Amino acid sequence: MRLSEFVLPTLKETPAEAQIVSHQLMLRAGMIRQESVGIYSWLPLGLRVMKNVEAIIREEQNLAGAQEILMPTIQSADLWRESGRYDDYGKEMLRIEDRHGRDLLYGPTNEEMVTAILRDYIKSYRELPVNLYHIQWKFRDEVRPRFGVMRGREFLMKDAYSFDLDLEGAKKSYDNMFATYLRTFTRMGLKAVPVRADPGAIGGDMSHEFHILTGTGESAIFYDVIYDELTLDVDNPDVEALQSIYAVEEKLHDPVSCPVAGDRLKQARGIEVGHIFYFGTKYSKAMGLVVDGPEGERIIVEMGSYGIGVSRLPAAIIEASHDKNGIIWPDSVAPFAVGLVNLKVADKACVSQCEDIYNRLREAGIDVLYDDRDERPGAKFADMDLIGLPWQLVVGPRELAVDRLELKRRDGGAREELSLESVLAKLTG
Ligand code: P5A
């Protein structure tokens, strides 16, 4: 992609309305644009990151055996009257009336709808277990939408729903998602701490939130310092052991009964990027999701639900990975792998060299953003640092003279002088 053709409205100044660094940088890097309070458009650079985040989540969900579906954003109120949540949900739910006077709503979550789907198609114990997920926009009329996409009103969520025959199966499904979440966040360059949590409006009696520890996190958590010392074996995490480590959200922390000694207990702030629930038969019982067992007995299906804040994640990643000059994207979610900077667009030799490199990079399958704009080098470097691509490849008359290119790693700033062949090898390696 040529930067001269790319819609990248970067800002030099920090917008006054943004209080936390991820919101500031997302606006300055031209990733998002506010349309209404808590409602955003995703511009090309931002959408590329969110799509990468989504792809990692999708891959891990599929590997875990979950099947992707797509449920609508708009739901019928009657579905929610069946579970009793239509009234319970209160003002957070955006209620809509269609032209026939029927009550609809913009879904804040999908437990009811997915339960109704399975109720229609699953009749026998042989058809379980099943896990269905989708990646779809949600709406919650939050009391305090803030921090940009971190707490929006419209936001993208991955939500999965497990269906099992008994508690043992349900716990297995829960632990499977628990392990999958650890892998998912690790692949995004994040260290997520699972903490026991209050199930709130979703309900149930077992629940974990996954937190990225940063000073600007909205939630307070308490945890055993073991977590800081732990190196996770993400390919084969010991879920039981991890769940037995003391880590809780503030609401559940009781200093009197806390089993961790004062000097081993840490208090921190975290960003909740995922939340999983086991709620047994709460919805299946209310809505009649029942299957025939082996002896013809009727079995009420055991359920859990598993959420990831897809549109919150790009912001969480920025909170965890930035410096004073801008964003530092982990390779796995970066909007482009490398930025190619032409330092002298008035110099014909420099232009032809850059065009050649640009083509070679693309032929090698490398995602490149080519800064071919007629701008001062200082402005180009500042923009490249701001948007945080993992590598910067700099071409100017000096580099041409020695037939070497300067390759800079955004994270740490290390620079190397390399031939184009070595650059290609490094970026595809
Ligand atoms: C789990 C999946 C649920 O809704 N039902 C389906 C369950 N859980 S949750 O904790 O309420 O939300 C799941 C994740 O969505 C993100 N999230 C948000 N992101 C941005 N703006 C919001 N207003 C918002 N609310 C929730 C969080 O990452 C949360 O963990």
Side-chain angles (χ1 to χ4, degrees), residues 38 85 89 92 108-111 138 140 142 145-146 148-161 181 199 202 208-210 218 271-277 279 304-313:
R85 276 209 295 182
Y89 229 91
E92 242 185 55
T109 177
N110 287 65
E111 278 81 5
K138 306 288 187 282
R140 293 181 186 174
E142 299 272 351
R146 55 179 180 165
V149 293
M150 194 74 94
R151 180 165 297 278
R153 294 198 295 166
E154 192 184 40
F155 60 96
L156 190 60
M157 190 198 288
K158 183 287 297 181
D159 36 329
Y161 303 87
Y181 275 32
I202 307 293
H208 284 89
E209 292 172 354
F210 290 77
E218 280 192 286
I271 300 169
E272 180 199 319
V273 289
H275 197 164
I276 63 177
F277 304 80
F279 43 72
S305 72
Y306 314 90
I308 293 184
V310 182
S311 54
R312 175 177 286 183
L313 270 162

Side-chain angles (χ1 to χ4, degrees), residues 39 61 79 85 135 182 193 202 211 214-215 219 286 297 351:
I39 301 180
Q61 290 292 298
L79 201 54
R85 276 209 295 182
I135 298 176
L182 293 174
V193 177
I202 307 293
H211 281 272
T214 65
S219 332
E297 74 277 26
V351 170

Side-chain angles (χ1 to χ4, degrees), residues 404 407 416-428:
R404 282 281 183 278
L407 185 68
E416 284 176 281
E417 303 252 307
L418 299 170
S419 67
L420 178 56
E421 299 313 318
S422 312
V423 170
L424 288 170
K426 192 150 190 157
L427 296 183
T428 51

